[in-house]
């Protein structure tokens, strides 16, 4: 299919060393892109703490002419909001919202100058539809909606698209960690999903990769769920 190859494109994926991020990395590379994986994990191409603005500045300088920027990294602390720790709010705000803002600000000018770019923000269906115990997390991830849509309007004529992908319950290490503290959670989630299973990382990465291609060049400012039908908006 013409327009789906990414040969010659440089992509940067945050949180690209595990779960959904690893699947995104693999799919973009399979389409021919050169991929920089930015993560705290030792296996990353570029190790970075996204809570550290200075580390993000170094990443921008080191990355080079990035054409595709996928903001996949995220951190969640699950607690009833009334019991949540404001220190955890600050950490989630830094990683989930401030880091994407700073990284985009650093790399977007190069995209507009070259007349081509793809911004994909990985948010959450918990931010789109609400999720008990994730008030602060949902608030930080919901901020990506406004950022992505505003950017879509600002840079559409420069050949840059900006979209949001919202995974529903997906089998990742973060979800498994939460499930260990709440026995039976994954089964309960699966029963609520019309397809009767939670998502896989490659369910999400397939959409992200498509949005990065030329075939998706007329799609911008959109929020798309990958949720097995648990949310229909």
């Amino acid at each position: 299919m013409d327009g789906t190859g990414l040969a010659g494109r440089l992509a940067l994926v945050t949180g690209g060393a595990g779960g959904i991020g690893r699947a995104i990395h693999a799919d973009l590379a399979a389409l021919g892109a050169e991929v920089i994986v930015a993560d705290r994990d030792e296996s990353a191409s570029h190790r970075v703490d996204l809570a550290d603005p200075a580390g993000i500045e170094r990443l921008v300088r080191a990355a080079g002419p990035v054409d595709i920027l996928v903001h996949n990294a995220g951190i969640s602390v699950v607690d009833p909001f009334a019991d949540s720790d404001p220190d955890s709010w600050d950490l989630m705000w830094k990683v989930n919202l401030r880091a994407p803002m700073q990284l985009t600000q650093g790399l977007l000018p190069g995209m507009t100058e070259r007349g081509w770019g793809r911004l994909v923000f990985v948010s959450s269906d918990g931010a789109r539809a609400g999720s008990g115990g994730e008030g602060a997390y949902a608030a930080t991830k919901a901020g990506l909606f406004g950022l992505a849509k505003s950017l879509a309007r600002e840079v559409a004529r420069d050949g840059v698209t900006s979209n949001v992908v919202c995974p529903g319950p997906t089998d990742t290490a973060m979800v498994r960690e939460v499930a260990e503290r709440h026995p039976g959670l994954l089964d309960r989630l699966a029963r609520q999903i019309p397809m009767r299973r939670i998502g896989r990382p490659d369910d999400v990465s397939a959409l992200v990769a498509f949005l990065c291609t030329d075939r998706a060049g007329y799609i911008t400012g959109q929020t798309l769920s990958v949720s097995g039908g648990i949310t229909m908006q």
Side-chain angles (χ1 to χ4, degrees):
M1 183 185 294
D2 292 340
T4 58
L6 293 173
R9 302 296 189 189
L10 177 62
L12 191 156
V13 181
T14 67
I20 292 172
R22 184 186 295 119
I24 293 170
H25 170 198
D27 281 358
L28 292 177
L31 293 176
E34 178 184 352
V35 185
I36 300 169
V37 174
D39 202 299
R40 291 184 301 176
D41 192 274
E42 291 183 357
S43 65
S45 333
H46 188 104
R47 292 188 68 185
V48 62
D49 179 359
L50 292 174
D52 176 20
I56 295 173
E57 288 181 8
R58 291 192 292 272
L59 174 59
V60 169
R61 291 195 298 269
V66 169
D67 303 298
I68 296 165
L69 180 55
V70 180
H71 294 285
N72 169 72
I75 185 169
S76 175
V77 178
V78 179
D79 277 311
F81 185 72
D83 300 328
S84 62
D85 182 353
D87 287 342
S88 72
W89 305 349
D90 292 340
L91 179 59
M92 286 185 278
W93 173 75
K94 289 176 181 176
V95 174
N96 298 348
L97 185 54
R98 190 191 191 285
M101 292 172 68
Q102 183 183 355
L103 195 51
T104 301
Q105 187 181 51
L107 295 174
L108 182 59
M111 297 181 189
T112 59
E113 288 171 9
R114 293 187 297 275
W116 196 96
R118 297 290 184 266
L119 302 172
V120 181
F121 299 85
V122 180
S123 181
S124 166
D125 258 12
R128 195 175 191 189
S131 178
E134 291 188 319
Y137 170 77
T140 58
K141 282 291 192 177
L144 296 174
F145 302 154
L147 175 62
K149 289 177 183 295
S150 297
L151 290 171
R153 293 187 181 278
E154 288 184 12
V155 297
R157 294 182 182 180
D158 298 307
V160 180
T161 65
S162 175
N163 293 289
V164 181
V165 172
C166 291
T170 305
D171 191 0
T172 64
M174 186 167 70
V175 169
R176 291 281 177 180
E177 183 179 340
V178 173
E180 287 178 3
R181 300 195 298 272
H182 302 275
L185 174 64
L186 295 182
D187 288 338
R188 291 195 298 273
L189 287 172
R191 286 195 296 270
Q192 296 172 34
I193 297 170
M195 290 188 175
R196 291 298 188 268
R197 69 170 176 86
I198 66 171
R200 298 184 298 263
D202 60 359
D203 293 322
V204 181
S205 65
L207 175 58
V208 172
F210 173 70
L211 290 173
C212 295
T213 67
D214 283 331
R215 291 300 291 265
Y218 199 59
I219 301 172
T220 195
Q222 302 305 306
T223 300
L224 305 167
S225 289
V226 183
S227 65
I230 194 172
T231 51
M232 298 187 185
Q233 296 176 327

